[in-house]
């Protein structure tokens, strides 16, 4: 029943005594629950979604029981649902199928008696007056709201999420005091809610003009990201809009490098790069770049927020559809920053790469690579025998955008920078090609003959059948240029490549002790480096950062390109591994 599982905060030594109760009257009438035969239980985060069997109260239709919730944090959120053993039925709810939610007592050992709803909220509707109250003082300070001009409204499932129908009024008699002063920007209103008694309700506060949605903190939101309450007559607690209390403001500059996106997404729209987060109700704050900067792919946006406030956020762009990042550093969750805690202490956050695509996952500057191929005895798939006196030779591949081969509808000459040059009277052809910015640590390519040396319609795709290409890796960027192994025309080769999904591509080898050292070799790459440890049962791995492929040059050439090597002192046990943080 993964649909019902909700995230709950966990704290050590927490305890809340929670009383659950549910009215099974409708189920009894419908014959879907038989007292004395069937049982109803409460399941939720408090018991790992196991069963807390509820007890019938006398001969009535209400069932109840109390549990000590030691799982959810004091002051945290409890998620739960009721479960009917008749047909193993989870209750449904009238909105979005979310769990029921409740805010637990903040005091350890506190008690909470939950409302008594009908199972599945299948009871006759009642009308309860609910008083809402929200403090917008910080939004006034941020310039998001102007008293006397703007309006504060409520949108929720009880009013069809409609705007302008439940508008709150400022009550200047309600003041709020904190360490930064006293404010009186509280807006209140009482409205009837008509649903089954105790039914869960979802809502948010909204500021107009501009339709700025409230963005509550995790404990104050249900599984759908909305505020919640149960439909019983009540005055809801006074909360801050987006749970941001009043405080002096500071400016926080957010910076993101879109280089990887610009190089890998052909539909990327640079003018749509945006910052979205809790500071603006997850609206769109467009970011701008500096066209004259060395890296024009860095985009910046400044957010004005209260000192010490916590901001959840993500970067975003459009490529015909909305693309949110899934940062590696957060496991795909939101990024988080805490604003400075001193008034006037503005912050310029470090530049991060969109999706945390590591700087060593792509070339952030042009990188020269020397290619070579032996054309001795070369015969194309079209049976053409290569003639060095009359034929030319070109390289084509991903880094070249796979320019058109000869024979197309509109043949064009090959780009001259990809022509391979014969070395004297040998059969070896070479070319040093500067690979552009982009994900070119590994790539596919192949050679093609320019039959007759005309270069009027491009080289022929005749080294191997279409789709059968060489695959090579730029293993070290400290060389100028990096030298690829010499290819043999028609012999398509794929090098091993180390990555999180292909650890064996490292080909990590520890040799025999010689002269007091042990040789360690591996197939490196930028972004990957060795770690060493004295045992596998304790202690930490020691990083040998110098062995990263961005700067390591000790090793030798092989058919798999550059093999990194180091000689490690052979005193005691040593264990090695290659990692890419």
């Amino acid at each position: 029943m993964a649909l019902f599982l909700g995230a709950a905060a966990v704290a050590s030594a927490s305890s809340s005594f929670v009383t659950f109760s549910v009215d099974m009257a409708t189920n009894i009438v419908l014959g879907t629950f038989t007292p004395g035969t069937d049982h109803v239980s409460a399941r939720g985060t408090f018991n790992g979604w196991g069963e807390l069997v509820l007890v019938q109260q006398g001969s009535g239709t209400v069932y109840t029981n109390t549990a000590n919730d030691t799982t959810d944090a004091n002051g945290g959120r409890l998620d739960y649902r009721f479960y009917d053993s008749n047909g193993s039925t989870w209750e449904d709810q009238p909105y979005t199928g979310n769990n029921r939610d409740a805010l637990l007592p903040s005091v350890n050992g506190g008690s909470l008696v939950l409302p008594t709803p009908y199972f599945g909220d299948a009871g006759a509707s009642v009308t309860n007056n609910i008083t809402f109250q929200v403090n917008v003082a910080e939004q006034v300070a941020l310039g998001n709201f102007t008293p006397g001009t703007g309006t504060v409204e409520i949108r929720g499932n009880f009013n069809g999420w409609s705007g302008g129908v439940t508008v709150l009024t400022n009550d200047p008699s309600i003041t709020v005091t904190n360490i930064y002063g006293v404010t009186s920007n509280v807006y209140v209103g009482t409205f009837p809610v008509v649903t089954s008694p105790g039914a869960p309700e979802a809502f948010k506060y909204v500021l107009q003009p501009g339709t700025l949605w409230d963005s509550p903190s995790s404990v104050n939101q249900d599984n759908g990201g909305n505020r919640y309450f149960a439909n019983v007559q009540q005055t809801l607690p006074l909360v801050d809009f987006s749970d941001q209390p009043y405080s002096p403001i500071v400016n926080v500059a957010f910076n993101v490098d879109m280089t990887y996106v610009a190089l890998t997404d052909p539909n990327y729209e640079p003018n749509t790069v945006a910052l979205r987060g809790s500071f603006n109700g997850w609206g769109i704050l467009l970011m701008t770049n500096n066209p004259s900067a060395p890296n024009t792919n860095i985009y910046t946006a400044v957010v004005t927020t209260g000192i010490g406030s916590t901001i959840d956020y993500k970067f975003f762009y459009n490529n015909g559809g909305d693309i949110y990042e899934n940062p590696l550093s957060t496991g795909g969750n939101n990024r988080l920053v805490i604003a400075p805690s001193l008034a006037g202490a503005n912050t310029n956050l470090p530049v991060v790469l969109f999706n945390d695509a590591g700087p060593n996952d792509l070339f952030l500057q042009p990188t020269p690579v020397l290619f070579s191929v032996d054309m001795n005895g070369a015969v194309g798939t079209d049976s053409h025998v290569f003639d060095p006196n009359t034929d030319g030779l070109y390289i084509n591949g991903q880094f070249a955008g796979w320019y058109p081969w000869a024979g197309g509808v509109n043949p064009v000459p090959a780009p001259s920078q990809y022509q391979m040059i014969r070395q004297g009277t040998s059969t070896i052809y070479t070319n040093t090609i500067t690979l552009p910015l982009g994900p070119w640590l590994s790539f596919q390519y192949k050679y093609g003959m320019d039959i007759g040396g005309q270069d009027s319609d491009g080289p022929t795709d005749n080294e191997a059948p279409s789709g059968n290409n060489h695959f090579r890796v730029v293993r070290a960027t400290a060389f100028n240029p990096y030298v690829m192994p010499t290819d043999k025309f028609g012999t398509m080769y794929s090098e091993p490549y180390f990555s999180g999904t292909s650890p064996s591509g490292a080909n990590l080898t520890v040799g025999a002790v010689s002269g007091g050292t042990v040789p360690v070799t591996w197939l490196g790459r930028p972004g990957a480096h060795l770690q060493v440890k004295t045992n596998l049962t304790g202690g930490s791995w020691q990083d040998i950062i110098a062995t990263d492929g961005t700067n390591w040059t000790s090793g030798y050439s092989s058919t798999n390109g550059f093999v990194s090597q180091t000689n490690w002192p052979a005193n005691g046990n040593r264990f090695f591994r290659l990692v890419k943080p």
Side-chain angles (χ1 to χ4, degrees), residues 367-373 395 420-421 423 428-435 443 445 447 472 474 479-487:
T367 302
V369 176
L370 173 63
F371 295 88
S372 60
V373 58
I395 188 172
M420 303 297 291
I421 307 302
Q423 299 303 296
I428 304 296
Y429 286 68
T430 68
N431 188 359
T432 298
I433 297 173
T434 299
L435 301 187
F443 47 83
Y445 65 95
Y447 302 97
R472 294 285 188 186
V474 178
F479 296 104
N480 187 14
Y482 175 78
V483 179
M484 288 289 188
T486 299
D487 294 311

Side-chain angles (χ1 to χ4, degrees), residues 303-470:
V303 171
T304 301
T305 187
I307 67 174
S309 61
T310 299
I311 298 176
D312 293 294
Y313 67 99
K314 277 189 177 183
F315 299 106
F316 164 94
Y317 75 95
N318 189 283
N319 65 353
D322 292 343
I323 306 297
Y324 281 94
E325 64 170 347
N326 292 294
L328 294 173
S329 60
T330 66
N333 296 320
N334 299 330
R335 298 181 186 271
L336 183 146
V337 65
I338 299 176
S341 57
L342 294 175
N346 299 330
T347 295
N348 186 33
L349 297 177
V351 177
V352 298
L353 284 147
F354 190 89
N355 266 345
D356 288 333
N360 294 318
D361 288 332
L362 66 159
F363 293 150
L364 294 178
Q365 60 186 15
T367 302
V369 176
L370 173 63
F371 295 88
S372 60
V373 58
D374 189 347
M375 297 299 292
N376 183 36
V379 179
T381 55
D382 53 1
S383 299
H384 179 79
V385 178
F386 182 74
D387 185 344
N389 297 311
T390 59
D391 297 336
L393 185 69
Y394 285 79
I395 188 172
N396 198 350
Q398 290 176 306
F399 57 83
W402 288 109
Y403 59 82
W405 296 104
V409 176
N410 297 303
V412 294
S416 59
Q417 66 265 36
Y418 299 122
Q419 184 174 11
M420 303 297 291
I421 307 302
R422 187 180 185 185
Q423 299 303 296
T425 59
S426 72
T427 58
I428 304 296
Y429 286 68
T430 68
N431 188 359
T432 298
I433 297 173
T434 299
L435 301 187
L437 279 71
W440 310 124
L441 298 187
S442 62
F443 47 83
Q444 298 183 52
Y445 65 95
K446 70 193 312 184
Y447 302 97
M449 301 179 192
D450 173 24
I451 299 173
Q454 300 300 309
D455 189 28
S456 59
D457 59 353
T460 301
D461 182 9
N462 64 351
E463 183 186 12
S466 178
N468 187 7
N469 308 312
H470 299 278

Side-chain angles (χ1 to χ4, degrees), residues 119-130:
F119 187 93
D121 300 312
S125 295
V126 297
T127 300
N128 286 308
N129 290 323
I130 310 296

